[in-house]
Amino acid sequence: MARRLRPVRLDFLDSAPLRLVFDTEVTAPPSAVYRALAEDVADSPSWFTAIAAARSTAGGAGREIRLRGGVVFQERVMATDPGERYAYRVEETNAPGVRALVEEWLLTPARHGTGTRVRWTLAAEGPAPFRLVMRLARSGVGRSFRAAMRNLDGRVASPPAQ
């Protein structure tokens, strides 16, 4: 059964009791990465394998994300800066323990040459057992993120063959 989470603002990204931050570089340009994150939501499972299904809701102002294993997130988009930033908070979920959750994707030009530096931040609040589980899961979440970025890069880095 879904529970309503505490409605936090974007400043929660800096003040959350738990922050997981991951970053990597991809060869795809920021515009292509942003399009995959913010506009082609339904295609997310093809590159982020932890996601079983995804769809935009409320005319693009929200998202519904279903993870493998049955966790569902109803999200509200909070920031859309094309090619630079995409952020959302979870409004409702069936995930145990979490009280508030915001995710932010920052896209900047890669340090060396072309491409994009992708930084994904998960900011969360929950009781001590939830925070402990999330900290223990950090390395697995990081591996999942890096694999997703490799998959995404393979899909969008080069133009389709003609």
Side-chain angles (χ1 to χ4, degrees):
M1 174 171 233
R3 292 177 297 101
R4 201 138 184 82
L5 301 189
R6 187 165 74 85
V8 293
R9 295 190 169 134
L10 286 174
D11 61 357
F12 184 71
L13 288 159
D14 297 319
S15 64
L18 175 72
R19 292 180 71 239
L20 302 179
V21 181
F22 307 97
D23 64 88
T24 193
E25 288 190 7
V26 296
T27 60
S31 60
V33 176
Y34 181 86
R35 191 169 33 261
L37 291 170
E39 297 169 11
D40 299 334
V41 173
D43 195 42
S44 299
S46 71
W47 54 268
F48 208 137
T49 59
I51 299 174
R55 68 182 181 94
S56 289
T57 60
R63 301 166 11 130
E64 180 181 276
I65 305 295
R66 294 180 178 276
L67 299 180
R68 298 192 188 286
V71 171
V72 179
F73 297 113
Q74 297 293 333
E75 302 168 342
R76 175 180 298 204
V77 176
M78 299 179 71
T80 57
D81 301 317
E84 297 176 11
R85 181 183 193 203
Y86 185 60
Y88 43 88
R89 77 170 175 229
V90 175
E91 301 270 289
E92 293 182 15
T93 187
N94 61 351
V98 64
R99 293 182 187 142
L101 178 64
V102 174
E103 296 182 36
E104 176 186 57
W105 298 80
L106 289 178
L107 311 174
T108 55
R111 291 182 197 163
H112 306 294
T114 61
T116 305
R117 181 156 213 59
V118 180
R119 174 179 242 178
W120 179 40
T121 301
L122 286 93
E125 176 185 290
F130 167 79
R131 292 191 311 271
L132 175 63
V133 166
M134 290 301 292
R135 285 186 182 106
L136 292 172
R138 178 188 302 265
S139 65
V141 173
R143 278 191 304 276
S144 179
F145 163 74
R146 287 185 297 279
M149 293 299 94
R150 281 191 305 274
N151 293 340
L152 174 64
D153 202 30
R155 292 180 67 83
V156 302
S158 55
Q162 302 215 16

